[in-house]
């Protein structure tokens, strides 16, 4: 097995088995894990406490118990998170960080059924005012205070600034990775790309950075191979389950860039420099644009996607529409029209973690491939 | 030279045998689809009608929901590409295709050469599909092929939900028990199907000529409702259930010709 294959295999295994990653971290450090709900929670505060931040993104499973608590039109991430809460899956977590940038999260945050304490905080939506930074920094101060109490630790500004630098380094290396991966689609297929990125949610970030950095070096040492398939940019919340990525792969598509909330949206911007770590983290939210969950009066998502198509010489955009995600569904008609005007081809596929039948997705992707 | 297109849908199986890319020698339909005896039976019927054997076919292409399970096929092409090809062959002025089959609704925008420019499919939900009409036909005790006639006698169409087949079914049962005339309920059912299909057509951009195909296109009540909603005439493709199989047979012909060049 080449070094590239072994790194990918290790990261894929971590991404497929978060529980083991948590157990390994505990064995190694004696410290536990803190859950991080989507979207855009300041993981750095958990990292600075010495605990492992673990991303909570639900999973592919059938829903039954959650039906008692959620309406059928809640997105499938939250349906599966609720189902797993009820099954006790998250009860090993020391705490759960819970941002609430959409209505479903807001409601779900008030009915957590696991045993771990939940720390809810709010992202301000009138984001471009200075007051928004002050508000969010204060929210983060409360998050830090609550975490300190629950975890029985002190989180110093120095430790927090240090964690921000570790995270910024990871963001930079991930941006490099997605750029490099775009040149090696025969090696980094859509599933591997996703697994390498997803492993970030279950690893101490400097370890993830080191592995991806090494992978990047190994990749760029190889000659760039010709790719005969089509290149696409993914947009949406997530492109799971893996069957969806398998269908893209089987139809000869490579993912050359993404604008997924679970992937590049998390690392396309660094946390800005400064001395007050909580203010720095708050400022990241102000500077972050192009996401349906963050009010964006300029509606920059469409132009951002069109730039990505140009920069990465993509053939099209694949819209991975999370079923029943209102913010994403509201954004779609806006950027779809912009694509039409610019002559950019796009495919709409539905993302539903509960589904086990992918025939419709297969038909859509195959038709799109034939259309291109 | 003969080529064959096989379209295995969720609720019907269709075969077209084409001579030299232009003459339809056989176009057969059996009203059971993938996973049933339908695919084999329709294949046998088409060959028997044409007096040909599988060995006479220069190429066979399969399409439709069950396209991957057709062992006789040399290749699979999606039903969206095949519908576009088949409809454009029959109606070269087509710009928008509305295809309503057993479990899928599709709106397809064509370019000037008949290629697919954009398409949208329904969500994974039976509302607005042929299955929706099947369910309503059973509840209303009216055969599918009589529904258009009932609709034409409607005086005040009832309101029927287009969100969910199960909800719509209970609405229809409630209207029946309240004594609403079947004619008016059926017109409401047709409007419900139309609103689902037109939602997809609006996304594609509505442009004449609009052509309907798929099994549901045989229900003129649905065609009228779609035309009314879009405020434009709707052309029903000749023999609308076999257009995807026809497209597959044309693709097969083009591939043989291309390979021979």
């Amino acid at each position: 097995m080449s070094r590239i294959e072994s790194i990918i295999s290790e990261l894929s295994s971590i991404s497929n088995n978060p529980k083991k990653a948590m157990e390994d971290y505990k064995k190694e450090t004696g410290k536990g894990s803190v859950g991080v709900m989507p979207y855009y929670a300041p993981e750095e505060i958990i990292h600075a406490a010495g605990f492992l931040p673990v991303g909570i993104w639900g999973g592919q499973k059938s829903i039954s118990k959650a039906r008692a608590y959620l309406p059928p039109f809640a997105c499938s991430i939250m349906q599966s998170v609720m189902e797993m809460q009820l099954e006790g899956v998250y009860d090993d977590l020391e705490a759960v960080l819970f941002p609430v940038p959409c209505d479903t999260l807001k409601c779900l945050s008030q009915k957590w059924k696991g045993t771990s304490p939940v720390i809810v905080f709010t992202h301000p939506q009138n984001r471009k005012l200075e007051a928004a930074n002050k508000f969010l920094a204060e929210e983060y101060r409360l998050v830090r205070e609550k975490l300190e109490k629950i975890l029985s630790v002190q989180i110093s500004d120095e430790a927090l600034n240090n964690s921000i630098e570790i995270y910024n380094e990871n963001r930079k290396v991930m941006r490099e990775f997605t750029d490099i991966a775009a040149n090696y689609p025969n090696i980094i297929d859509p599933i591997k790309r996703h697994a390498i990125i997803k492993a970030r949610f279950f690893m101490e970030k400097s370890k993830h950075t080191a592995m991806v950095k090494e992978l990047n070096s190994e990749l760029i040492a190889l000659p760039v191979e010709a790719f005969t398939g089509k290149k696409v940019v993914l947009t949406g919340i997530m492109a799971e389950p893996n069957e969806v990525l398998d269908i893209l792969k089987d139809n000869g598509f490579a993912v050359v860039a993404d604008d997924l909330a679970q992937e590049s949206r998390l690392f396309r911007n660094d946390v800005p420099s400064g001395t007050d770590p909580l203010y720095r983290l708050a400022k990241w939210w102000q500077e972050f644009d192009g996401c349906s969950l963050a009010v964006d009066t300029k509606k920059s998502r469409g132009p951002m996607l069109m730039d990505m198509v140009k920069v990465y010489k993509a053939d099209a955009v694949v819209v991975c529409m999370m079923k029943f995600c209102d913010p994403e569904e509201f954004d779609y008609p806006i950027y779809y029209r912009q694509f039409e005007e610019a002559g950019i081809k796009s495919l709409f596929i539905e993302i539903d973690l509960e589904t086990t039948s992918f025939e419709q997705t297969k038909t859509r992707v195959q038709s799109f491939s034939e259309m291109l | 030279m003969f080529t064959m297109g096989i379209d295995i849908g969720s609720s019907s199986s269709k075969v077209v045998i084409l001579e030299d890319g232009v003459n339809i020698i056989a176009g057969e339909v059996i009203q059971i689809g993938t996973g049933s005896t339908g695919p084999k039976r329709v294949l046998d019927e088409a060959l028997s009608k044409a007096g040909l054997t599988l060995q006479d076919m220069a190429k066979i292409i399969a399409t439709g929901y069950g396209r991957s399970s057709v062992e006789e096929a040399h290749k699979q092409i999606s039903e969206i590409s095949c519908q576009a090809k088949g409809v454009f062959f029959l109606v070269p002025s087509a710009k928008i295709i509305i295809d309503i089959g057993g479990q899928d609704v599709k709106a397809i925008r064509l370019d000037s050469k008949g290629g697919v420019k954009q398409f949208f499919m329904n969500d994974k939900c039976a509302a607005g599909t042929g299955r929706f009409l099947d369910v309503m036909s059973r509840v209303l005790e009216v055969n599918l092929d009589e529904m258009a006639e009932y609709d034409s006698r409607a005086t005040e169409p009832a309101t029927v939900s287009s969100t969910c087949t199960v909800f719509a079914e209970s609405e229809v049962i409630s209207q029946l028990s309240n004594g609403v005339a079947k004619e008016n309920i059926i017109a409401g059912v047709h409007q419900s199907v139309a609103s689902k299909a037109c939602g997809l057509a609006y996304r594609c951009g509505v442009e004449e000529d609009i052509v309907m195909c798929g099994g549901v296109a045989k229900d003129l009540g649905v065609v009228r409702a779609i035309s009314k909603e879009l405020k434009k005439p709707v052309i029903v493709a000749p023999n609308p259930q076999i257009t995807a199989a026809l497209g597959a047979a044309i693709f097969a012909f083009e591939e043989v010709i291309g390979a021979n060049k």
Side-chain angles (χ1 to χ4, degrees):
Chain A
M1 190 187 275
S2 73
R3 185 60 192 141
I4 290 178
E5 285 166 341
S6 71
I7 295 172
I8 294 173
S9 161
E10 197 175 333
L11 291 173
S12 300
S13 151
I14 290 168
S15 135
N16 290 331
N17 195 350
K19 196 167 175 61
K20 182 172 183 307
M22 285 167 58
E23 287 164 0
D24 290 349
Y25 187 81
K26 184 117 189 177
K27 264 186 229 156
E28 202 180 309
T29 65
K31 289 191 174 174
S33 304
V34 174
V36 182
M37 286 290 286
Y39 303 85
Y40 315 123
E43 276 189 34
E44 288 90 337
I45 303 178
I46 303 165
H47 185 270
F51 285 71
L52 180 69
V54 172
I56 298 178
W57 291 88
Q60 188 180 18
K61 68 191 294 76
S62 65
I63 307 297
S64 57
K65 298 178 273 303
R67 302 276 185 232
Y69 299 96
L70 290 179
F73 49 82
C75 75
S76 60
I77 299 180
M78 297 312 145
Q79 299 274 9
S80 61
V81 167
M82 176 58 94
E83 188 75 12
M84 288 198 263
Q85 276 174 53
L86 293 161
E87 289 170 356
V89 171
Y90 305 125
D91 290 349
D92 289 340
L93 297 168
E94 307 288 336
V96 175
L97 217 54
F98 215 123
V100 291
C102 75
D103 287 348
T104 308
L105 278 164
K106 186 180 73 185
C107 298
L108 196 70
S109 72
Q110 296 162 59
K111 52 166 82 173
W112 183 264
K113 301 295 172 195
T115 55
S116 316
V118 171
I119 303 172
V120 181
F121 70 96
T122 304
H123 287 95
Q125 287 294 353
N126 203 352
R127 301 182 304 126
K128 299 298 173 180
L129 303 175
E130 178 52 24
N133 296 330
K134 289 182 181 159
F135 172 87
L136 190 52
E138 179 60 15
E139 285 285 274
Y140 289 167
R141 190 187 64 74
L142 294 170
V143 167
R144 174 161 80 175
E145 210 173 274
K146 287 176 187 167
L147 270 176
E148 284 177 333
K149 201 171 162 194
I150 295 166
L151 304 176
S152 305
V153 290
Q154 286 296 307
I155 304 169
S156 69
D157 278 2
E158 193 190 350
L160 195 41
N161 272 325
N162 183 48
S163 293
I164 290 173
E165 297 316 321
I166 288 169
Y167 270 67
N168 274 350
E169 173 70 2
N170 183 265
R171 292 184 178 103
K172 177 172 156 272
V173 169
M174 290 313 294
R175 291 195 295 270
E176 285 166 3
F177 165 71
T178 51
D179 281 357
I180 291 167
N183 288 326
Y184 297 92
N186 295 319
I187 301 170
I188 309 293
D189 65 36
I191 297 165
K192 288 175 183 160
R193 183 185 184 279
H194 172 61
I196 291 161
I197 297 173
K198 194 174 178 182
R200 302 177 76 236
F201 292 120
F202 315 120
M203 292 176 77
E204 191 282 313
K205 282 292 184 295
S206 60
K207 286 196 171 170
H208 184 260
T209 303
M211 287 184 76
V212 178
K213 218 176 201 174
E214 190 185 352
L215 177 63
N216 288 348
S217 310
E218 295 282 339
L219 285 169
I220 54 172
L222 298 172
V224 173
E225 288 176 7
F227 179 66
T228 52
K230 300 286 180 190
K231 297 178 175 182
V232 291
V233 173
L234 304 185
T235 187
I237 296 294
M238 59 156 59
E240 288 191 6
N242 271 351
E243 282 87 341
V244 172
L245 296 170
D246 253 331
I247 294 168
L248 286 174
K249 183 185 166 190
D250 291 347
N251 283 278
F253 286 104
V255 178
V256 290
D258 79 84
D259 160 53
L260 298 170
Q262 196 193 28
E263 300 189 5
S264 286
R265 281 188 205 168
L266 291 169
F267 51 77
R268 67 182 173 215
N269 292 2
D270 282 345
V271 171
S273 56
T275 49
D276 177 353
L278 298 179
Y279 185 85
R280 292 175 70 189
L281 291 169
K283 189 87 178 151
W284 181 89
W285 175 246
Q286 185 176 59
E287 292 178 357
F288 173 66
D289 279 323
C291 173
S292 59
L293 295 147
V295 167
D296 181 358
T297 52
K298 292 185 179 159
K299 294 291 163 208
S300 51
R301 182 171 177 183
M304 283 168 77
L305 285 166
M306 291 191 284
D307 279 349
M308 286 162 89
V309 166
K310 204 169 156 188
V311 169
Y312 295 97
K313 297 185 173 57
D315 297 286
V317 176
V318 176
V319 178
C320 303
M321 181 59 71
M322 173 58 63
K323 192 174 179 181
F324 299 129
C325 175
D326 299 354
E328 283 289 302
E329 285 176 353
F330 277 116
D331 256 14
Y332 175 69
I334 301 166
Y335 63 78
Y336 174 68
R337 177 172 289 194
Q338 292 167 337
F339 290 169
E340 286 289 285
E341 284 166 6
I344 289 175
K345 304 276 188 195
S346 65
L347 170 68
F348 181 105
I349 56 174
E350 196 177 63
I351 298 294
D352 179 359
L353 293 176
E354 199 185 349
T355 198
T356 51
S357 162
F358 295 90
E359 291 310 317
Q360 260 210 356
T361 308
K362 276 184 194 164
T363 297
R364 290 185 198 203
V365 172
Q366 186 183 350
S367 304
F368 193 57
S369 160
E370 291 160 2
M371 184 181 115
L372 292 174
Chain B
M1 177 183 54
F2 300 102
T3 55
M4 180 184 276
I6 306 177
D7 174 12
I8 307 302
S10 62
S11 54
S12 63
S13 307
K14 291 81 70 175
V15 165
V16 165
I17 298 174
L18 203 58
E19 185 181 17
D20 297 332
V22 285
N23 299 322
I24 299 173
I25 302 296
E28 300 304 304
V29 179
I30 282 191
Q31 298 298 352
I32 42 174
T34 187
S36 71
T37 56
K40 187 180 180 322
R41 283 165 53 198
V42 76
L43 187 64
D44 291 345
E45 269 190 26
L47 288 169
S48 159
K49 186 173 178 187
L52 296 166
T53 67
L54 276 178
Q55 286 66 43
D56 295 319
M57 301 300 131
K59 189 154 196 170
I60 301 170
I61 288 183
T63 187
Y65 184 74
R67 62 189 178 279
S68 309
S69 59
V70 182
E71 287 171 5
E72 293 81 0
H74 302 109
K75 185 178 177 177
Q76 290 81 32
I77 295 181
S78 77
E79 57 265 41
I80 289 169
S81 300
C82 289
Q83 285 291 17
K85 183 62 92 177
V87 168
F88 191 73
F89 175 82
L90 297 167
V91 188
S93 57
K95 291 285 184 297
I96 296 289
I97 298 170
I98 297 174
D99 167 25
I100 310 183
Q103 66 175 22
D104 284 334
V105 185
K106 305 175 189 89
I108 307 165
R109 188 161 89 214
L110 302 183
D111 63 24
S112 57
K113 292 176 183 163
V116 177
K117 203 170 171 189
Q118 182 58 289
F119 66 88
F120 287 97
M121 282 175 76
N122 60 321
D123 300 332
K124 205 183 295 166
C125 165
T129 66
R131 183 72 65 210
F132 179 83
L133 287 172
D134 280 346
V135 169
M136 298 308 161
S137 141
R138 185 175 48 76
V139 172
L140 289 156
E141 297 181 293
V142 173
N143 289 334
L144 279 170
D145 53 10
E146 293 172 317
M147 284 180 76
E149 194 193 324
Y150 271 77
D151 176 304
S152 67
R153 295 197 299 266
T155 51
E156 196 181 340
T159 303
V160 177
S161 162
S162 63
T163 310
C164 169
T165 302
V166 180
F167 290 161
E169 184 183 7
S170 58
E171 276 176 29
V172 166
I173 290 168
S174 149
Q175 284 168 344
L176 277 172
S177 73
N178 287 336
V180 178
K182 285 184 181 177
E183 285 79 358
N184 288 338
I185 298 175
I186 288 171
V189 165
H190 286 156
Q191 278 182 8
S192 167
V193 172
S195 71
K196 204 82 180 171
C198 292
L200 299 173
Y202 287 132
R203 280 190 180 187
C204 267
V206 178
E207 195 183 346
E208 290 183 63
D209 286 343
I210 301 157
V211 180
M212 254 196 93
C213 60
V216 173
K218 293 195 295 185
D219 183 339
L220 293 180
V222 173
V223 179
R224 280 195 296 268
I226 288 178
S227 177
K228 191 176 165 197
E229 169 64 33
L230 297 177
K231 298 184 180 65
K232 291 188 189 304
V234 171
I235 300 164
V236 177
N239 206 347
Q241 225 174 341
I242 64 160
T243 44
L246 172 62
I250 298 170
F251 271 125
F253 172 76
E254 288 177 350
E255 292 207 359
V256 176
I257 294 295
N260 289 344
K261 271 183 186 171

